[in-house]
Amino acid sequence: MRKQNVVAVVLALSVVASMAYASSISLEGVKCLIAGGQAAKVEKAAEYKEGKVFFCCDNCKGKFESASKEDKEKMAPKANHQLVATKQYEQQACPMSGGKVDASTAIEVGGTKIAFCCKNCKGTAEQMKPEEQVEKLFGEEAFNKAKFEKVKEKK
């Protein structure tokens, strides 16, 4: 009986902690990582890069969690974009050059602002189709060049 009470308390605390974390994340305008047309739901989250990515249903969440390493690499640009869209990560440098960001060069990509070091990089990005922008500006190479950092939680 006592063991059951401890388990219940631990479960309750983990749910409360998860809800508190989730409440600090805004999913307004954020779409499911797998079924892009569907709204992402806070309770349908999976761990990714010290953050969380969100899905519309358990089926999509399950597809992500059980994906092979190769398939997860293909999903990385959308997952990285979602980390930025949900304000879990912040840009520190240009995703194309790795240079210092000039805030006046910011553009919107899928509802998320991203800035560049110069008008040349911005112009290159603006020439891309929306899907290509996510791929090229939030893919692993660009994510590393842009030095995206996890946002520190406010206490």
Side-chain angles (χ1 to χ4, degrees), residues 104-122:
S104 72
T105 64
I107 64 170
E108 194 168 297
V109 174
T112 303
K113 289 204 182 283
I114 189 159
F116 305 90
C117 61
C118 64
K119 290 182 176 151
N120 288 336
C121 288
K122 175 185 178 181

Side-chain angles (χ1 to χ4, degrees), residues 55-127:
F55 306 89
C56 61
C57 64
D58 287 328
N59 189 34
C60 289
K61 178 183 171 191
K63 283 181 184 178
F64 178 81
E65 291 177 325
S66 65
S68 68
K69 182 179 178 183
E70 184 178 273
D71 286 341
K72 277 198 179 163
E73 287 172 2
K74 290 177 186 173
M75 292 184 235
K78 288 181 180 179
N80 292 338
H81 178 263
Q82 203 184 80
L83 289 174
V84 177
T86 55
K87 297 182 179 22
Q88 296 175 76
Y89 276 71
E90 288 180 335
Q91 179 185 5
Q92 306 299 314
C94 176
M96 295 182 162
S97 71
K100 185 177 178 183
V101 173
D102 174 356
S104 72
T105 64
I107 64 170
E108 194 168 297
V109 174
T112 303
K113 289 204 182 283
I114 189 159
F116 305 90
C117 61
C118 64
K119 290 182 176 151
N120 288 336
C121 288
K122 175 185 178 181
T124 300
E126 288 176 322
Q127 297 294 316

Side-chain angles (χ1 to χ4, degrees), residues 49 80 89 92-98 136-149:
K49 286 189 180 179
N80 292 338
Y89 276 71
Q92 306 299 314
C94 176
M96 295 182 162
S97 71
K136 301 282 186 191
L137 303 175
F138 294 93
E140 287 302 304
E141 184 179 341
F143 203 76
N144 291 331
K145 275 187 184 176
K147 300 177 183 132
F148 280 99
E149 290 183 357

